[in-house]
Amino acid sequence: MRLRYIQAALVCALFVLSLSCGQSPAPVARAATVSPAHAPGASPRHEVRLAGTVQAVHFFTVQVPQITGENAKVTLTRLIANGTRVKTGDLLAEFDRTQQLDNAREAQAKFDDLAHQVDQRLAQNRADAAKRESDLQKAEADLAKAELQLRKGPLLSEIDRLKNEAKAEDARAHVASLKKSNGFHDQADAAAVHILELQRDRQKVSLDRALSNAEKLEIHATLDGMAALENVWRSGSMGKPQEGDQLWPSQPLIRIFDPSEMEVLAQVGEPDDASLAPDSHAVVRLDAYPELALEAHFVSGSPVASSALGSPIKTFTARFRLEKSDPHLLPDLSAAVVLDGPANVGGGGR
């Protein structure tokens, strides 16, 4: 009897379960959305994201001047503020010029002294040459007088004739000696003047060098743009240079760049080469300002690709020129270049 009740309960449960399974679920309304990339008739597109850095198209790096003949540190006495707008010819930095100006004044004094010595020697040579010329003319006059006396030989006694011959011979030898010695004196005077002129010219080189060194210690802008201070090693760490710092020659000090024309230098992998084409457009986003989006276009790419040590993927450098300038754009900012092009583009833009 109990077994029948159990069987009847199982039959009822199976009947109820079959009724519930046969009912259809309630309909749910859904909005139809079509992705633009997969819309009918549209070619599939893919997005290429490149990492790069912002840099100026026109820039110039100012270095600590190299003083001719010296390789010691120089002291910075004046420096333009970071981020200042400059024009061509504006003073950017100045270094201590005391030693160079002292050298220039000392070299100027020596140069003036040697120049006066040259003028004095030339005047002395002219005076000596005039005196030698006068002595030669006097000796020639004595020779002419002695030769005139020789013409009276038949009218004079033998003793007087011999005396006149002796005088004429002496006068002739004196004239020849003066002519010969005058030539040597002229050569000696010219050599003495040339030595002084060489000393003067050498001192002029020292003067020009000192003036050039003093001029090099004043650095002026070579183009219109904005000044950005470079990091230098000071006080045991890297930091911006300050007035009073002692810096080594040829050390980078200031970078002058034109903010009106900026570009992004990015590294492109060879698999993404097909996404680059002439005048390809891209969107640049700065890592420091994620909400800022700037339009850019592909300018050029390196024809040679290289790979890092141990990496099978080669990359090449590509340049993207920004369409418009923005006050947020500064050199060395990291940026992302987003290329949106067809997935089946064939051939690169290099």
Side-chain angles (χ1 to χ4, degrees), residues 45 275-283 295-301 319-321 323 338-342 348-350:
R45 305 179 69 87
S275 301
L276 292 178
D279 296 330
S280 297
H281 285 77
V283 177
E295 297 291 333
H297 64 275
F298 173 70
V299 177
S300 64
R319 296 179 181 272
F320 296 87
R321 185 72 53 83
E323 303 287 351
V338 180
L339 292 173
D340 187 14
R350 289 185 291 167

Side-chain angles (χ1 to χ4, degrees), residues 154-233:
L155 303 177
L156 299 176
S157 62
E158 184 67 16
I159 296 177
D160 292 336
R161 185 178 62 80
L162 293 176
K163 288 181 179 180
N164 290 338
E165 289 180 356
K167 289 181 180 180
E169 187 64 26
D170 291 343
R172 195 174 292 110
H174 189 203
V175 170
S177 176
L178 287 178
K179 288 182 178 180
K180 188 175 182 179
S181 63
N182 287 350
F184 291 140
H185 281 299
D186 292 340
Q187 293 179 6
D189 291 344
V193 171
H194 187 59
I195 291 174
L196 291 176
E197 289 177 345
L198 290 178
Q199 294 177 353
R200 179 200 60 188
D201 295 342
R202 184 174 58 183
Q203 198 61 42
K204 182 66 167 57
V205 172
S206 300
L207 174 60
D208 294 340
R209 180 183 301 170
L211 293 176
S212 176
N213 289 340
E215 185 178 354
K216 288 180 181 178
L217 294 177
E218 283 188 353
I219 303 177
H220 298 267
T222 57
L223 55 86
D224 298 344
M226 182 179 294
L229 301 182
E230 297 280 2
N231 288 327
V232 298
W233 182 262

Side-chain angles (χ1 to χ4, degrees), residues 262-305:
M262 304 292 285
E263 63 183 7
V264 178
L265 195 65
Q267 296 295 324
V268 184
E270 279 192 326
D272 299 325
D273 185 19
S275 301
L276 292 178
D279 296 330
S280 297
H281 285 77
V283 177
V284 176
R285 294 185 180 275
L286 302 179
D287 295 346
Y289 307 97
E291 70 284 355
L292 183 63
L294 302 173
E295 297 291 333
H297 64 275
F298 173 70
V299 177
S300 64
S302 174
V304 179

Side-chain angles (χ1 to χ4, degrees), residues 17 115 131 154-155 163 200 202 210 238 255 333:
L17 181 61
K131 185 178 183 304
L155 303 177
K163 288 181 179 180
R200 179 200 60 188
R202 184 174 58 183
M238 299 297 292
R255 182 185 300 179
L333 286 178

Side-chain angles (χ1 to χ4, degrees), residues 44-65:
R45 305 179 69 87
H46 78 291
E47 183 180 277
V48 178
R49 187 180 181 89
L50 308 175
T53 56
V54 179
Q55 67 177 14
V57 178
H58 304 288
F59 66 93
F60 178 75
T61 301
V62 178
Q63 298 180 343
V64 178

